[in-house]
């Protein structure tokens, strides 16, 4: 029987003393020993590095970087495995999935990637994490939609090393959305992947999370960067009409969220600014998307008020 493929796990890290040990343990609890775990630390000063010293199997580099995607690129250059996965410091892999991942790549030499499902966990009380939402794997022909207006669950993906060599690394101009940009490039090149109806990954939502802080704000940095990414692709020449629609819809959803946030903050000037941007990039489609988003928010508000009264 041939030896299982080596899986390289890359974790970007900065000051995660409260989470990093559990992330490392979630890799150690896998059903395959054919892995390496690379921690790319940006210069932690909170005791994270002392915790990492407890795990001699780790490959740790600690030096200043230009953000998490720069750290991921460094990790890819160091990785020896044929298959690469990305684990955040505050998240966890589902138990016993590495054997499944390795077997899928071994059985299907033609695929460049594999994706499973993901779950978001919320800390109900100290140490008590409960499921908040579950997202299915990205099915075939769904990639561009999930990479734009959907939830791409990037950390539930595993990739062959050759994919990074052929379509490029993460774009370090972005602080939040270079993973979406990578999946968009993968979709445009129709790179083959397969999906499994199995849970691969657990995201943990907490106030210090990079993108899952629980703060619902259309004016967060993540939203502005997402809008800029959508605008960049909308401006591309020669895109198929069907593909362009994904980006215009995504852009309209973002500006609608920004208007709702500005309205809550009573920032009338910003509301009209976001309206102008929305119209400029999706003149005919934006009004309907905005009205739908407004109705959605109104229903949520009514349900919240009704719940408070019933209590």
């Amino acid at each position: 029987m041939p030896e299982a493929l080596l899986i390289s796990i890359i974790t970007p890290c900065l000051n995660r003393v409260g989470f990093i040990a559990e992330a490392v343990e979630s890799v150690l609890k896998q059903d395959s020993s054919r892995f390496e775990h690379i921690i790319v630390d940006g210069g932690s000063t909170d005791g994270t590095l002392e915790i990492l010293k407890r795990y001699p199997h780790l490959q740790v580099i600690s030096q200043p970087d230009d953000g998490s995607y720069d750290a991921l690129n460094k990790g890819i250059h160091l990785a020896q495995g044929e298959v690469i996965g990305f684990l955040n410091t505050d998240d966890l892999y589902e138990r016993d999935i590495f054997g499944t991942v390795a077997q899928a790549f071994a059985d299907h030499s033609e695929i460049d990637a594999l994706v499973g499902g993901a779950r978001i966990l919320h800390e109900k009380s100290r140490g008590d994490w409960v499921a908040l939402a579950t997202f299915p794997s990205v099915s075939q022909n769904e990639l561009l939609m999930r990479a734009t207006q959907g939830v791409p669950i990037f950390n539930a993906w595993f990739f062959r090393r050759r994919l990074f060599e052929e379509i490029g690394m993460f774009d370090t101009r972005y602080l939040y959305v270079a993973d979406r940009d990578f999946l968009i490039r993968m979709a445009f090149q129709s790179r083959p992947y397969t999906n499994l109806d199995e849970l691969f990954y657990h995201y943990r939502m907490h106030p210090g999370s990079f993108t899952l802080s629980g703060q619902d704000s259309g004016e967060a940095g993540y939203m502005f960067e997402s809008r800029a990414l959508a605008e960049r692709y909308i401006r591309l020449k020669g895109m198929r009409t069907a593909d362009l629609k994904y980006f215009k819809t995504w852009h309209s959803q973002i500006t609608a969220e920004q208007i709702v946030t500005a309205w809550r903050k009573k920032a009338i000037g910003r509301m009209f600014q976001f309206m102008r941007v929305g119209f400029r990039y999706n003149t005919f489609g934006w009004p309907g998307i905005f009205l739908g988003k407004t109705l959605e928010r109104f229903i949520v508000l009514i349900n919240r008020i009704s719940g408070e009264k019933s209590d």
Side-chain angles (χ1 to χ4, degrees):
M1 182 174 178
E3 190 174 36
L5 299 177
L6 176 66
I7 299 175
S8 295
I9 301 301
I10 301 170
T11 297
C13 179
L14 181 63
N15 293 331
R16 286 300 200 194
V17 68
F19 292 97
I20 188 63
E22 291 174 279
V24 172
E25 292 288 345
S26 82
V27 177
L28 286 175
K29 292 175 182 177
Q30 292 301 314
D31 56 353
S32 172
S33 60
R34 289 282 295 159
F35 69 82
E36 62 174 3
H37 194 174
I38 302 168
I39 309 287
V40 187
D41 181 80
S44 292
T45 58
D46 66 342
T48 294
L49 294 174
E50 284 68 30
I51 290 177
L52 294 177
K53 289 177 182 177
R54 303 175 191 169
Y55 300 97
H57 74 286
L58 294 175
Q59 182 178 350
V60 180
I61 62 169
S62 183
Q63 57 187 225
D65 56 46
D66 292 325
S68 61
Y69 295 113
D70 181 42
L72 293 181
N73 286 343
K74 289 179 180 179
I76 292 169
H77 285 302
L78 291 170
Q80 299 297 309
E82 181 177 341
V83 175
I84 297 176
F86 302 102
L87 172 67
N88 296 332
T89 51
D90 44 3
D91 297 338
L92 309 168
Y93 279 120
E94 174 70 357
R95 292 192 68 147
D96 298 336
I97 63 163
F98 281 13
T100 299
V101 170
Q103 193 63 53
F105 279 102
D107 290 344
H108 302 281
S109 60
E110 77 282 0
I111 64 170
D112 288 325
L114 169 71
V115 60
R119 180 172 290 160
I120 296 178
L121 303 178
H122 171 68
E123 194 171 25
K124 185 177 181 180
S125 59
R126 188 171 181 82
D128 181 19
W129 294 88
V130 296
L132 188 66
T134 301
F135 299 96
S137 63
V138 182
S139 61
Q140 303 300 309
N141 302 316
E142 190 190 21
L143 178 54
L144 190 57
M145 185 280 288
R146 292 282 292 270
T148 54
Q149 57 197 271
V151 181
I153 53 173
F154 182 78
N155 296 92
W157 287 82
F158 290 83
F159 306 93
R160 287 198 197 271
R161 172 199 299 280
R162 70 188 182 208
L163 187 62
F164 298 95
E165 296 169 352
E166 293 172 6
I167 73 171
M169 308 286 272
F170 295 108
D171 189 336
T172 56
R173 291 177 296 176
Y174 298 110
L175 292 175
Y176 305 100
V177 299
D179 50 356
R180 285 185 184 263
D181 177 60
F182 180 83
L183 292 176
I184 290 168
R185 284 184 275 140
M186 180 177 156
F188 278 163
Q189 293 194 19
S190 301
R191 302 304 293 243
Y193 71 92
T194 194
N195 63 295
L196 296 178
D197 187 22
E198 295 184 31
L199 184 65
F200 277 9
Y201 198 84
H202 298 275
Y203 290 97
R204 297 202 285 184
M205 187 174 73
H206 59 93
S209 176
F210 199 48
T211 56
L212 287 175
S213 65
Q215 301 297 316
D216 183 15
S217 175
E219 294 188 300
Y222 171 81
M223 296 295 282
F224 280 102
E225 194 169 275
S226 296
R227 197 183 85 186
L229 181 62
E231 290 169 1
R232 174 185 146 203
Y233 279 100
I234 289 172
R235 291 193 294 265
L236 284 181
K237 303 296 183 181
M239 190 186 301
R240 294 190 313 162
T241 301
D243 292 343
L244 182 60
K245 186 176 180 181
Y246 286 123
F247 291 98
K248 286 190 173 184
T249 300
W250 183 30
H251 187 273
S252 297
Q253 291 172 343
I254 294 168
T255 54
E257 287 281 0
Q258 292 179 321
I259 290 168
V260 170
T261 298
W263 174 77
R264 288 204 307 263
K265 295 179 179 179
K266 299 180 172 60
I268 306 302
R270 293 206 301 276
M271 284 179 59
F272 283 106
Q273 176 188 348
F274 297 143
M275 285 181 183
R276 288 194 296 270
V277 173
F279 270 115
R280 183 162 70 245
Y281 282 91
N282 192 10
T283 304
F284 300 107
W286 184 86
I289 293 172
F290 171 68
L291 290 174
K293 180 62 67 175
T294 303
L295 179 61
E296 175 189 310
R297 290 291 187 176
F298 180 73
I299 292 172
V300 170
L301 178 61
I302 293 299
N303 290 338
R304 183 181 302 165
I305 292 172
S306 299
E308 291 173 353
K309 287 183 178 180
S310 64
D311 291 341

